[in-house]
Amino acid sequence: MMFRTHIAFGLLAGMLSLKYLNVPNPYIYILIVCTAAAMPDIDESESRIGKKIRPLSWLIEQIFGHRNLFHSIFPLIAIYIIFFHCLKWNVAGAALLIGYGSHLFMDMLTYMGIGPLHPFYRKRITGFIKTGGLVEHILFILLVLADIIILSGFL
Ligand SMILES: [Zn+2]
């Protein structure tokens, strides 16, 4: 999916998750969620985030390929271990898991899908949405409307 759709859904997931967490600073929390919602596309040098760090994203794309390892559950497991067990930064860990996970969920709805257990098991979970197509544009508008509704109750 497109960068903006990932941010719109990440924002929604972040705001909804605030109800279930004891977050000291919701603004920083939402910022981390939205940043994490863009992160998996670091594996594509032409993506919005990939362009910002092109030599690194190009290298990752060459080694791992787009929507493979960086679009699997393994980065989520790494985030969980590092933030919940090593650093004990549970709130930051939750923000990263929700943002990163929201990206994987949205990409799962596209034709290309994701390989959740890549590279160990290459079967992909795919959906019915064409990236950048009409359905995604409609979905984006609905997500922005939902963001506005939730945000108006949140402020
Ligand atoms: Zn992606």
Side-chain angles (χ1 to χ4, degrees):
M1 291 222 177
M2 295 185 296
F3 174 82
R4 66 183 192 183
T5 312
H6 284 302
I7 298 299
F9 184 63
L11 180 60
L12 185 65
M15 287 190 296
L16 291 175
S17 65
L18 273 173
K19 290 180 182 175
Y20 306 99
L21 297 167
N22 184 15
V23 176
N25 188 327
Y27 300 101
I28 292 174
Y29 174 83
I30 293 290
L31 187 68
I32 296 171
V33 172
C34 289
T35 304
M39 266 169 39
D41 284 341
I42 198 172
D43 67 7
E44 195 204 356
S45 57
E46 290 305 315
S47 69
R48 183 94 167 246
I49 191 167
K51 281 180 184 169
K52 296 212 186 313
I53 45 163
R54 182 125 27 182
L56 178 64
S57 63
W58 181 85
L59 193 64
I60 290 171
E61 190 174 15
Q62 299 309 309
I63 296 170
F64 299 103
H66 179 45
R67 289 206 193 178
N68 289 330
L69 181 67
F70 282 76
H71 282 69
S72 73
I73 63 163
F74 300 111
L76 294 175
I77 293 170
I79 291 167
Y80 177 77
I81 291 169
I82 292 167
F83 282 84
F84 284 83
H85 293 282
C86 300
L87 299 173
K88 310 268 185 213
W89 294 352
N90 294 1
V91 174
L96 288 168
L97 285 178
I98 288 165
Y100 207 101
S102 77
H103 185 112
L104 300 187
F105 176 77
M106 292 302 275
D107 277 355
M108 217 183 315
L109 301 176
T110 65
Y111 288 150
M112 188 180 181
I114 63 163
L117 298 176
H118 193 95
F120 301 106
Y121 183 63
R122 290 176 187 258
K123 185 161 174 44
R124 302 183 80 81
I125 298 175
T126 58
F128 55 92
I129 298 175
K130 179 177 185 274
T131 299
L134 178 65
V135 176
E136 182 175 353
H137 287 288
I138 293 168
L139 182 63
F140 172 72
I141 291 165
L142 294 174
L143 286 170
V144 170
L145 289 174
D147 284 337
I148 291 168
I149 291 166
I150 306 250
L151 201 57
S152 61
F154 175 67
L155 293 174

